[in-house]
Amino acid sequence: MIRLAIQKSGRLSEDSLNLIRECGISFVSSSYKLKTEATNFPLEILFLRDDDIPGYVQDGVADLGIVGQNVLVEAGFPDLEVEKLGFSKCRLSLAILRSEGYSSVADLQGKNIATSYPQILGRYLAGEGVQANLHTISGSVEIAPSIGLADAICDIVSSGSTLLGNGLREVETVFRSEAVLIANQQLSTEKQELLEQLQFRMQSVRRARRNKYILLNAPVASLDAVKALLPGIKSPTVTPLAEEGWVSVQSVVNEDDFWHITGQLKAVGAEGILVLPIEKMIA
């Protein structure tokens, strides 16, 4: 059995559990249980504070973990990262009071900055040649400027609404983060094999999320133009229709390119375009 540590509550926890379920792994979880076992895969899930996960994995208490890059790097264990998971994206940013002027990060020279990420921020400021006084705060960082504790803050930003609600504005992005899978570097051969199985499932799920299955009808005269727009995994599937001079085309389209490609397909004569989600996608 392999142990996976995830955050015990919050959006990252929900997204992590959803990914595990989409990998076909069944388990029962509740708000009061701090661990659970899967019923159809040799996996035990531990529910921990996010700040504790890198240390647990480094020490071998947990074999694997899902954690934000910001937490992993701040803890000093970036080498534990196995792969990025593509969700819970955010940024670590500097912010100041909206009433304050700002031209560049050099304006923070000698200023007081409140943050929960002194290691990441310290390295960033050093790289910019700026010396500032860092005040480490474990929570409610946004209030620091309004009560005179600091001139600026450095904190995690998703939508920016929390900054706005506290009279702050974002001025610099210090670090970009997303959820990552991490692993102890001394896994046994058996556990390494289980990690590879889990990665294979996760990659199949993530690949499916990024792509759509598309079906359309097109005149044979436009087939070359349609095929040029729809490369698919290797090439699109083309099937003759009962109506002479027409074919059905099936392919896979990347989510980011979908709307642009759809417009081009219509322009070359494609009709009856259907788009379907993909549950799993094996490369």
Side-chain angles (χ1 to χ4, degrees):
M1 182 170 291
I2 196 164
R3 278 183 166 179
L4 170 67
I6 69 169
Q7 187 174 318
K8 63 182 178 181
S9 61
R11 180 64 183 273
L12 179 57
S13 176
E14 294 171 8
D15 289 343
S16 300
L17 292 175
N18 287 337
L19 175 60
I20 296 167
R21 290 189 176 100
E22 288 184 69
C23 288
I25 298 174
S26 300
F27 58 91
V28 177
S29 64
S30 65
S31 59
Y32 61 87
K33 290 185 67 174
L34 296 181
K35 68 176 183 177
T36 188
E37 288 186 15
T39 58
N40 59 349
F41 191 86
L43 176 72
E44 182 178 47
I45 303 172
L46 307 180
F47 299 94
L48 306 173
R49 290 179 64 254
D50 58 346
D51 291 346
D52 294 335
I53 293 174
Y56 273 60
V57 173
Q58 171 68 18
D59 294 340
V61 176
D63 303 301
L64 313 175
I66 296 178
V67 69
Q69 278 178 304
N70 55 303
V71 173
L72 181 66
V73 173
E74 181 65 24
F77 301 120
D79 292 343
L80 297 180
E81 181 179 324
V82 174
E83 68 175 281
K84 296 175 176 60
L85 297 178
F87 59 83
S88 295
K89 293 185 177 182
C90 60
R91 58 194 181 275
L92 183 62
S93 294
L94 284 161
I96 62 172
L97 289 169
R98 290 204 302 270
S99 59
E100 296 291 330
Y102 185 85
S103 57
S104 73
V105 69
D107 293 347
L108 299 176
Q109 178 71 29
K111 298 294 181 67
N112 296 318
I113 306 175
T115 185
S116 299
Y117 299 92
Q119 300 303 318
I120 296 176
L121 177 58
R123 286 192 291 270
Y124 172 80
L125 292 176
E128 296 291 330
V130 173
Q131 292 185 336
N133 303 311
L134 306 188
H135 297 270
T136 304
I137 300 177
S138 59
S140 302
V141 177
E142 296 86 359
I143 198 174
S146 65
I147 62 174
L149 179 62
D151 303 294
I153 69 163
C154 183
D155 202 19
I156 290 297
V157 178
S158 294
S159 66
S161 58
T162 303
L163 293 181
L164 185 64
N166 286 278
L168 301 171
R169 64 185 176 103
E170 188 177 357
V171 292
E172 299 285 348
T173 299
V174 172
F175 184 83
R176 294 191 180 276
S177 176
E178 64 182 271
V180 292
L181 178 67
I182 63 175
N184 180 272
Q185 296 177 314
Q186 304 298 324
L187 293 180
S188 65
T189 301
E190 293 81 2
K191 288 186 176 182
Q192 184 63 40
E193 290 175 356
L194 289 175
L195 168 59
E196 291 171 2
Q197 291 179 37
L198 190 59
Q199 282 186 270
F200 174 75
R201 296 191 186 196
M202 288 181 172
Q203 290 164 1
S204 299
V205 170
R206 292 179 54 232
R207 196 177 293 115
R209 289 177 178 176
R210 295 194 303 267
N211 291 278
K212 299 294 182 185
Y213 192 73
I214 187 168
L215 302 89
L216 58 89
N217 296 330
V220 173
S222 301
L223 183 55
D224 287 343
V226 170
K227 287 166 64 177
L229 294 169
L230 294 174
I233 299 174
K234 288 189 179 295
S235 65
T237 301
V238 180
T239 307
L241 293 180
E243 183 176 342
E244 189 174 349
W246 284 80
V247 292
S248 172
V249 181
Q250 305 171 43
S251 190
V252 174
V253 178
N254 188 277
E255 178 76 45
D256 294 337
D257 301 327
F258 169 72
W259 289 110
H260 177 64
I261 289 177
T262 301
Q264 291 182 305
L265 288 170
K266 289 179 64 65
V268 299
E271 297 180 1
I273 300 173
L274 299 178
V275 181
L276 303 172
I278 302 172
E279 184 176 330
K280 306 287 188 297
M281 187 171 171
I282 313 300

